[in-house]
Amino acid sequence: MGRNRSGRVRDDSPATGPGEGRTHTQGPLIRTVGSGTAELRPDRDRPYGWQLLVDGAPQSLVDLADPTHLGFEYQRRLGHLIDLAAPPGRPITALHLGGGALTLARYTAATRPRSRQQVAEIDTALTELVRTELPLERGWQIKVRGADARAVLERTPEGSVDLVIADVFSGARVPAHCTTVEFAELASRALAPDGRFAANIADGAALPFARAEAATLLAVFPEVCLIADPAVLRGKRFGNLILAASHQPLPLAELGRRVASDSYLGRIEHGRPLTDFTAGAAPITDTTAAPSPTPPPTAFH
């Protein structure tokens, strides 16, 4: 593995399987990376599973033996959107803004062979750690670019991507410049006519950030839906919310069936209920943007 002059991390590591990569017998690994302190922690329930934390905040969960396993609630919901991005098994072109341990890129590669994927991950030291300890399969067409997510989105050719997934966090907060109408317009420009945009955000209490983010996407896309735990929607706990948007109708019926079949509760808001959810919040712009709220100290315990 190496890095070219553009900052892209090349994947020239060998093909992997359950017997390759870091093993549980080696124990956890803690290392300083560009964004803080990264920890790879063995998953107690899966013999080849690893959880990535940065400064104590869970970022990713990877199973080296089963790349289709999505252990976090928000990952599973984004997985549903990957599943519904095209007919089953058909390759897609995907842009992942935010990389972490590349869980969703692995899932896409495993469920949609020959998909072409690009990942924007500004923390190149974190990418090096993940590629070394949790390596990818050589046949997967995943290119990781060591650059800011919005900068990569700005350079993405118009109409070239089937799916844009924004899972951008600096620590446990979404950076301000990745929350705005201008950011959403860049995503809209990058999408093919029937492409879709999805974003993972986090909020709690009265959900002011989530309401403003929903209003932001509604200012750019005619079709928007929100997926979240009912307790999060009621402000009972801090948690993740998924927003999906498109210029074409979203597959709400099938998405609803998949969300209902999950082991954790989920609710979809769309149309008038989503407009009501925004509670009159103004769309976020580059001049008004702020990072998403800081999670409470008990959020990850």
Side-chain angles (χ1 to χ4, degrees):
M1 175 174 48
R3 190 180 295 117
N4 63 25
R5 292 182 179 179
S6 70
R8 178 181 296 174
V9 179
R10 303 194 307 269
D11 181 16
D12 47 24
S13 56
T16 66
E20 302 184 46
R22 192 168 186 84
T23 65
H24 282 198
T25 57
Q26 294 174 277
L29 174 67
I30 298 175
R31 185 169 299 172
T32 299
V33 295
S35 53
T37 300
E39 179 183 0
L40 289 177
R41 182 181 296 173
D43 186 275
R44 290 176 296 180
D45 299 323
R46 305 184 73 87
Y48 299 101
W50 290 90
Q51 187 173 158
L52 168 67
L53 301 92
V54 177
D55 289 341
Q59 299 288 325
S60 304
L61 182 62
V62 167
D63 188 332
L64 294 177
D66 181 10
T68 68
H69 174 68
L70 300 175
F72 290 163
E73 174 183 293
Y74 84 88
Q75 290 178 341
R76 185 63 249 156
R77 289 170 181 156
L78 289 170
H80 295 326
L81 292 168
I82 293 169
D83 291 342
L84 296 173
R90 195 180 82 184
I92 62 172
T93 301
L95 173 60
H96 303 265
L97 304 176
L102 309 174
T103 306
L104 293 169
R106 297 170 195 263
Y107 179 85
T108 304
T111 59
R112 296 186 175 280
R114 303 180 306 283
S115 290
R116 291 182 292 113
Q117 301 186 77
Q118 184 174 193
V119 180
E121 173 53 66
I122 196 169
D123 191 337
T124 56
L126 177 62
T127 299
E128 295 280 0
L129 172 65
V130 168
R131 288 220 189 252
T132 300
E133 303 294 338
L134 310 175
L136 302 172
E137 293 188 16
R138 175 176 287 175
W140 290 346
Q141 299 180 55
I142 300 171
K143 296 179 179 178
V144 183
R145 190 177 293 277
D148 175 77
R150 180 157 167 173
V152 171
L153 189 57
E154 288 172 346
R155 295 194 296 269
T156 301
E158 183 175 355
S160 63
V161 181
D162 299 311
L163 182 63
V164 175
I165 297 178
D167 189 13
V168 189
F169 282 80
S170 178
R173 305 177 73 185
V174 182
H177 69 299
C178 295
T179 67
T180 67
V181 167
E182 292 86 348
F183 179 82
E185 288 173 342
L186 289 171
S188 174
R189 176 183 173 276
L191 289 173
D194 59 349
R196 294 171 189 156
F197 172 73
N200 175 36
I201 63 173
D203 203 1
L207 301 171
F209 177 72
R211 297 180 197 280
E213 272 297 280
T216 298
L217 292 189
L218 285 166
V220 176
F221 293 94
E223 292 290 327
V224 180
C225 76
L226 180 148
I227 314 166
D229 186 307
V232 174
L233 287 173
R234 292 195 299 269
K236 299 296 184 182
R237 69 173 179 87
F238 191 95
N240 294 86
L241 306 93
I242 301 299
L243 285 158
S246 178
H247 288 284
Q248 302 296 329
L250 294 165
L252 295 172
E254 181 58 29
L255 182 60
R257 283 191 286 270
R258 290 169 182 256
V259 170
S261 70
D262 286 335
S263 58
Y264 23 73
L265 293 175
R267 196 169 87 203
I268 298 177
E269 300 287 9
H270 173 264
R272 180 59 183 271
L274 181 61
T275 302
D276 292 344
F277 171 81
T278 65
I284 303 168
T285 67
D286 282 350
T287 58
T288 63
S292 66
T294 302
T298 58
F300 307 123
H301 301 286

